[in-house]
Amino acid sequence: MGIPDPEASRQHLEAWKGRIDRLAADTQEMSTRFGELKAVGADPDGLVRVTVDSSGNMVDVQLSERTRRIDTEYTGRAILAAVAAARAQMAEASAQIISETLGSDSAAGQAIADRVRSQLMPQSGEEG
């Protein structure tokens, strides 16, 4: 086993630090863009429009005048459909941001995208 070349070791450490610094900057950009992101969804009949934030939380709801004349259960289902549509749009927008900031081939990016998708679009029976 030979003596390590100090210059090669220094260059290796500088390259490693550069990759870490770039990942930190990309992650910060991703976080900033997520914080600004909102998505709007509507039910298929156009009765309800909702806006969700990057966590999938509803931050606004708009009911059409037609909701005054229909069954409240139907309106409730329309709200849930609009939230699901907005969350699906948010999942797509989040995946795009992750791809643009961390890269589509990034293991960290793929893990984050999977987590965001499962948070925004839980399987039936799960809470999100």
Side-chain angles (χ1 to χ4, degrees):
M1 183 180 226
I3 298 174
D5 176 13
E7 182 60 22
S9 295
R10 185 186 65 74
Q11 289 175 355
H12 178 75
L13 286 174
E14 284 180 5
W16 178 78
K17 183 184 180 305
R19 288 189 302 272
I20 296 300
D21 289 347
R22 181 67 191 158
L23 179 60
D26 290 346
T27 302
Q28 181 58 49
E29 179 185 347
M30 180 183 67
S31 177
T32 298
R33 289 177 65 183
F34 276 170
E36 298 167 350
L37 196 58
K38 290 191 173 47
V40 177
D43 71 292
D45 295 327
L47 295 172
V48 178
R49 288 174 45 97
V50 300
T51 303
V52 298
D53 64 15
S54 61
S55 296
N57 296 318
M58 188 169 41
V59 295
D60 187 39
V61 62
Q62 299 171 351
L63 304 175
S64 77
E65 281 295 316
R66 293 183 296 154
T67 60
R68 292 178 185 244
R69 297 182 302 273
I70 61 173
D71 187 321
T72 57
E73 282 186 41
Y74 191 85
T75 301
R77 287 192 300 273
I79 291 170
L80 293 176
V83 169
R87 284 181 161 199
Q89 287 183 11
M90 182 59 67
E92 288 179 28
S94 297
Q96 182 66 32
I97 289 172
I98 292 165
S99 178
E100 291 171 1
T101 55
L102 299 181
S104 58
D105 59 343
S106 161
Q110 290 171 2
I112 293 168
D114 288 345
R115 183 171 176 267
V116 167
R117 191 172 18 271
S118 69
Q119 177 184 347
L120 291 171
M121 302 172 60
Q123 300 300 316
S124 13
E126 293 180 23
E127 288 188 24

